[in-house]
Amino acid sequence: MDKLSNTQCKLLTNYVDKLRQNIVQSSKMEEWIIMLRLHYKWCLGDRISQYNQQFIQGEYSDLRTRASASPLTCFVSKNGATGEPWKDTKNSKNPRRSAGDIQITALPQLKTARPWYAGIDSTVLQQNVKRLDIAYKNFFEGRGFPKFKNPSNFTSFTYTMGMKSSGSKIYLPKFGWMRFYNSRPIPDGFRVKAATIRQRQDGWYVSLRIEDKTVPDVVARCLTEVKSVIGCDLGIAKLVHLSDGYQLANPKFGNNKKTFGFLKIRQRRVSRKVKGSNKRKKASQKVGRLHKKIADKRQAYQWWVAKTITSGRVDAIALEDLNVSGMLRRCRVKRDEETLRFLANGQSRKKGLASRYL
């Protein structure tokens, strides 16, 4: 190969800013999160039950009750996630519809049966179904099966149409104009392609995905033009070791003595509160804010490290291909089949590795 691997300029980028919503807008966003989470769970349950009735349960509608499958004991197949999967073959090159397309087509029926869903923007509901499609795609690629969401891991929704930005204000359909901390103005030539509203421990944030199609592609350099290369090696005591001898420190924001003490105290306060009480909820929010502070510090430091490495006058950067998540993962348990005793699996040698990386 006489050229480096082909790369293109990243035309898409995200700007994250904190919203300054009023009380009405804040309560409305919380209601949307609850309704969208229930809609996500219903769509997932619809796909699971439809698959079970078609391919697993056989002649039974319910394995627990042993009820026979009939229109009186289970829903008709065409009303499920995989029912009526065919489009008009005359106007479509790919006539078969996916489960996501069928559920998106059924959204008007959802708004008729559940009128309160009519207050949610249509693109937000469509993106909610596509979110489940992405989860299924990840499952087919070897990741875990989609899970039913709970309030702690379902905290966002996405717009794809109707957004407008003007100075320190942003217009969101069904919400109107909303103020936000415009820390980085959108550059000229970029347009807002999508907006994700996310609830975090200290408030609501908007992530604007902006795009500029006029930026030309990056032309890969020939290997003959590369004169200087710097290598990066991931360390433990130090975060990064560079081939020129320079080392970048590892502050360990989540594992230093002061932060660990604060986290220990706040977690102990949560455990002492009555489950389901308001005081336990407030104590949990303090723990979440501390975790967010640690994550923000770590992310800011990583951006500083990336800027330090890329600001050097070199033509290329060589990185080590490490499976860090595999290095930090616990080793599989080994047992003797005859004595059923646990065998050595190398976990003791990896005992302190995870804590050193934090």
Side-chain angles (χ1 to χ4, degrees), residues 179-293:
R179 295 182 297 169
F180 71 101
Y181 294 96
N182 191 12
S183 58
R184 285 191 300 175
I186 298 176
D188 296 335
F190 283 83
R191 69 179 185 89
V192 179
K193 189 175 181 181
T196 300
I197 311 301
R198 180 172 286 104
Q199 185 181 22
R200 302 186 69 180
Q201 287 78 9
D202 60 343
W204 293 86
Y205 287 79
V206 57
S207 176
L208 297 177
R209 180 176 296 180
I210 58 178
E211 180 184 29
D212 187 2
K213 295 183 179 180
T214 62
V215 178
D217 297 340
V218 176
V219 180
R221 285 188 177 185
C222 297
L223 290 176
T224 56
E225 298 179 3
V226 177
K227 303 300 181 182
S228 58
V229 180
I230 188 171
C232 303
D233 183 20
L234 182 64
I236 297 178
K238 299 293 183 179
L239 184 63
V240 180
H241 298 265
L242 302 180
S243 57
D244 58 359
Y246 188 72
Q247 299 177 352
L248 296 171
N250 186 6
K252 300 180 182 178
F253 297 104
N255 200 31
N256 59 72
K257 185 176 181 180
K258 183 177 180 181
T259 304
F260 187 77
F262 280 136
L263 186 60
K264 185 178 180 179
I265 292 174
R266 295 188 181 184
Q267 289 177 337
R268 186 188 298 128
R269 290 175 180 173
V270 173
S271 63
R272 290 177 176 176
K273 301 293 188 298
V274 179
K275 291 185 179 181
S277 63
N278 291 332
K279 290 186 177 181
R280 185 183 179 93
K281 183 178 179 181
K282 292 180 180 180
S284 301
Q285 290 176 352
K286 290 184 179 181
V287 175
R289 285 196 292 267
L290 181 57
H291 279 294
K292 179 183 177 298
K293 187 176 181 180

Side-chain angles (χ1 to χ4, degrees), residues 298-350:
R298 185 181 292 116
Q299 185 179 19
Y301 184 73
Q302 289 174 353
W303 279 109
W304 178 85
V305 169
K307 182 180 179 181
T308 303
I309 296 174
T310 57
S311 61
R313 296 182 179 180
V314 293
D315 298 328
I317 299 176
L319 301 176
E320 189 177 10
D321 188 11
L322 288 177
N323 183 12
V324 179
S325 60
M327 296 169 61
L328 301 179
R329 192 180 298 117
R330 292 183 62 87
C331 298
R332 292 185 178 180
V333 177
K334 294 183 179 180
R335 302 186 67 175
D336 191 350
E337 297 181 356
E338 296 181 357
T339 62
L340 299 180
R341 291 181 175 271
F342 292 102
L343 303 177
N345 60 351
Q347 178 60 34
S348 59
R349 287 175 291 180
K350 296 175 61 177

Side-chain angles (χ1 to χ4, degrees), residues 33-317:
I33 289 291
I34 295 174
M35 288 191 293
L36 290 172
R37 178 170 58 86
L38 296 177
H39 177 244
Y40 181 94
K41 294 172 67 175
W42 183 89
C43 291
L44 178 57
D46 185 36
R47 298 190 190 189
I48 294 175
S49 61
Q50 184 70 19
Y51 179 83
N52 289 339
Q53 291 186 15
Q54 286 190 350
F55 303 105
I56 297 179
Q57 296 178 187
E59 61 178 354
Y60 297 111
S61 177
D62 191 347
L63 291 179
R64 291 177 298 178
T65 61
R66 296 286 180 175
S68 301
S70 68
L72 298 177
T73 58
C74 62
F75 60 83
V76 183
S77 177
K78 65 179 183 180
N79 294 329
T82 56
E84 294 291 343
W86 303 101
K87 290 182 180 178
D88 185 6
T89 56
K90 298 180 180 179
N91 301 324
S92 178
K93 296 181 179 179
N94 185 16
R96 184 167 181 84
R97 294 190 296 172
S98 64
D101 294 336
I102 296 174
Q103 290 180 338
I104 289 176
T105 307
L107 288 177
Q109 301 175 8
L110 171 66
K111 294 181 179 180
T112 303
R114 304 290 187 270
W116 48 89
Y117 277 95
I120 301 179
D121 187 71
S122 299
T123 60
V124 174
L125 287 171
Q126 293 172 7
Q127 291 299 316
N128 200 40
V129 178
K130 293 181 180 179
R131 182 175 181 173
L132 181 57
D133 290 340
I134 295 175
Y136 265 94
K137 180 182 177 182
N138 294 335
F139 167 67
F140 292 134
E141 291 178 354
R143 301 179 181 90
F145 188 78
K147 298 180 180 179
F148 291 96
K149 301 293 184 179
N150 55 49
S152 63
N153 56 21
F154 192 98
T155 58
S156 64
F157 56 89
T158 303
Y159 285 95
T160 56
M161 293 179 61
M163 306 84 59
K164 292 185 292 184
S165 177
S166 176
S168 61
K169 292 184 179 181
I170 184 173
Y171 177 81
L172 299 175
K174 304 291 185 178
F175 287 98
W177 289 98
M178 190 182 302
R179 295 182 297 169
F180 71 101
Y181 294 96
N182 191 12
S183 58
R184 285 191 300 175
I186 298 176
D188 296 335
F190 283 83
R191 69 179 185 89
V192 179
K193 189 175 181 181
T196 300
I197 311 301
R198 180 172 286 104
Q199 185 181 22
R200 302 186 69 180
Q201 287 78 9
D202 60 343
W204 293 86
Y205 287 79
V206 57
S207 176
L208 297 177
R209 180 176 296 180
I210 58 178
E211 180 184 29
D212 187 2
K213 295 183 179 180
T214 62
V215 178
D217 297 340
V218 176
V219 180
R221 285 188 177 185
C222 297
L223 290 176
T224 56
E225 298 179 3
V226 177
K227 303 300 181 182
S228 58
V229 180
I230 188 171
C232 303
D233 183 20
L234 182 64
I236 297 178
K238 299 293 183 179
L239 184 63
V240 180
H241 298 265
L242 302 180
S243 57
D244 58 359
Y246 188 72
Q247 299 177 352
L248 296 171
N250 186 6
K252 300 180 182 178
F253 297 104
N255 200 31
N256 59 72
K257 185 176 181 180
K258 183 177 180 181
T259 304
F260 187 77
F262 280 136
L263 186 60
K264 185 178 180 179
I265 292 174
R266 295 188 181 184
Q267 289 177 337
R268 186 188 298 128
R269 290 175 180 173
V270 173
S271 63
R272 290 177 176 176
K273 301 293 188 298
V274 179
K275 291 185 179 181
S277 63
N278 291 332
K279 290 186 177 181
R280 185 183 179 93
K281 183 178 179 181
K282 292 180 180 180
S284 301
Q285 290 176 352
K286 290 184 179 181
V287 175
R289 285 196 292 267
L290 181 57
H291 279 294
K292 179 183 177 298
K293 187 176 181 180
I294 296 171
D296 291 342
K297 285 184 178 181
R298 185 181 292 116
Q299 185 179 19
Y301 184 73
Q302 289 174 353
W303 279 109
W304 178 85
V305 169
K307 182 180 179 181
T308 303
I309 296 174
T310 57
S311 61
R313 296 182 179 180
V314 293
D315 298 328
I317 299 176

